Amino acid sequence: MSLKESLERFKKQQEKCQTTLSSIASTKAAAAPRPAPAAARAPPPAVKFSNDTERLQHINSIRKGPVGAQIKRVIDLLLETRQAFTPEQINEACYVDANANKAVFDSLRNNPKVYYDGRRFSYKSKHNVTDKNQLRSLIRKYPEGIAVIDLKDAYPNVMDDLQALKAAGDIWLLSNFDSQEDIAYPNDPRLPAMNVDDELKVLFRSIELPRDMIDIEKELQKNGIKPATDTAKRRALAQSQGIPNKAKPKKKKHEISKRTKLTNAHLPELFSRP
């Protein structure tokens, strides 16, 4: 076979193979599912930023804030929890980084409301009492009285214990008119009794009290005593709720009857002759 005939034969084989491949490709294309139109495709998910961004901004604003504001956050944490915290634990709890801010660290260490043991910070109250018995013993050491404001932060339920001691008659709670603050006084039977002069007793008992409770409260305030009641507020509240005030008893009018003896002794001019 000549070279020319061989080339012709090869070309025919190539054409036949190309026709076969084209037929196979068209068959596969017809069997394959058509892609959905672009309008029916689901939109791509929106790009979401980190959920931590807002928290990081809040932390940054705290740490760049005034030293006094950061100290207050720490003291509030120590007061509410009554626990000891390391600087790292404080940073985790309220985002105040005392290790990175020397001014904050030194202010905490020297604050009178904070106790630092060399490793941890804790709340430091003015009086170191932790229960009702210790509170009673402390008040008995102050016969001249101790300000309640100095006891409020001793421990969480100290105010409830003060009221319990008052109800039991162990202490007195009186108000200071100048400062409008309550003072706790001991009511200890072991203390020496006070003798009151008889003339002072007579003078005290001879004072006539006002008939209206509002006037009594005003007189107490004038003398530097905080009234335990607020009659004006109570009456206004009762009136707003539609509760009628207690009516004062009316005096009975004397009616004239046949048995009534009429006299005009108080009008002598009626019987005087001209």
Side-chain angles (χ1 to χ4, degrees):
M1 183 181 294
S2 63
L3 179 61
K4 185 175 180 181
E5 291 177 352
S6 298
L7 290 173
E8 289 293 335
R9 188 177 178 181
F10 178 75
K11 287 182 179 179
K12 289 180 179 180
Q13 289 178 350
Q14 291 292 328
E15 290 176 358
K16 186 178 180 180
C17 290
Q18 186 66 34
T19 303
T20 303
L21 292 173
S22 298
S23 176
I24 293 172
S26 61
T27 303
K28 289 184 177 181
R34 293 183 179 181
R41 292 180 181 177
V47 178
K48 293 183 179 181
F49 293 99
S50 172
N51 294 330
D52 213 31
T53 302
E54 185 176 353
R55 186 180 71 89
L56 294 175
Q57 291 177 347
H58 178 60
I59 294 174
N60 186 56
S61 65
I62 291 174
R63 292 177 178 172
K64 287 188 175 181
V67 173
Q70 298 187 53
I71 297 298
K72 185 180 183 303
R73 287 182 65 86
V74 177
I75 292 179
D76 289 345
L77 171 68
L78 301 179
L79 174 63
E80 292 173 2
T81 61
R82 301 299 176 122
Q83 298 178 3
F85 290 83
T86 63
E88 293 78 14
Q89 292 171 335
I90 291 175
N91 187 19
E92 293 176 1
C94 64
Y95 310 126
V96 175
D97 192 355
N99 284 332
N101 193 326
K102 187 177 184 300
V104 172
F105 187 91
D106 292 341
S107 296
L108 278 175
R109 187 177 57 181
N110 299 320
N111 194 290
K113 291 289 185 181
V114 178
Y115 174 72
Y116 181 61
D117 63 0
R119 187 165 177 263
R120 291 183 174 87
F121 294 94
S122 57
Y123 189 79
K124 181 181 179 182
S125 57
K126 186 171 182 178
H127 298 284
N128 187 22
V129 292
T130 58
D131 56 37
K132 185 167 63 175
N133 293 330
Q134 294 181 4
L135 180 63
R136 183 194 297 110
S137 299
L138 174 67
I139 296 174
R140 285 179 176 177
K141 294 178 181 178
Y142 291 84
E144 71 282 2
I146 181 173
V148 173
I149 193 173
D150 293 336
L151 301 171
K152 284 184 177 180
D153 62 347
Y155 54 93
N157 60 330
V158 63
M159 298 305 295
D160 294 335
D161 286 347
L162 277 173
Q163 293 299 329
L165 290 174
K166 177 184 176 183
D170 292 334
I171 66 171
W172 299 98
L173 286 179
L174 302 178
S175 299
N176 187 333
F177 184 73
D178 296 331
S179 61
Q180 295 296 325
E181 288 291 342
D182 290 340
I183 307 294
Y185 295 91
N187 185 21
D188 191 350
R190 296 174 298 178
L191 297 176
M194 181 182 296
N195 294 323
V196 181
D197 189 76
D198 292 337
E199 293 183 3
L200 183 60
K201 293 180 181 179
V202 173
L203 180 62
F204 176 80
R205 292 167 181 167
S206 64
I207 298 175
E208 184 178 355
L209 296 178
R211 296 182 179 273
D212 195 331
M213 194 62 188
I214 293 180
D215 295 332
I216 295 177
E217 293 169 356
K218 290 180 179 179
E219 290 296 326
L220 289 173
Q221 292 177 351
K222 288 179 182 179
N223 290 275
I225 302 174
K226 182 181 178 181
T229 58
D230 192 342
T231 304
K233 182 179 179 180
R234 178 174 55 80
R235 290 179 181 176
L237 181 61
Q239 186 175 4
S240 65
Q241 295 178 352
I243 301 175
N245 293 328
K246 293 182 179 180
K248 295 181 179 179
K250 296 181 179 180
K251 294 182 179 180
K252 294 182 179 180
K253 294 183 178 180
H254 295 285
E255 298 180 356
I256 299 176
S257 64
K258 294 181 178 179
R259 296 182 179 180
T260 304
K261 184 179 180 181
L262 299 179
T263 62
N264 290 311
H266 62 291
L267 296 173
E269 64 272 13
L270 295 178
F271 302 94
S272 59
R273 294 182 180 180

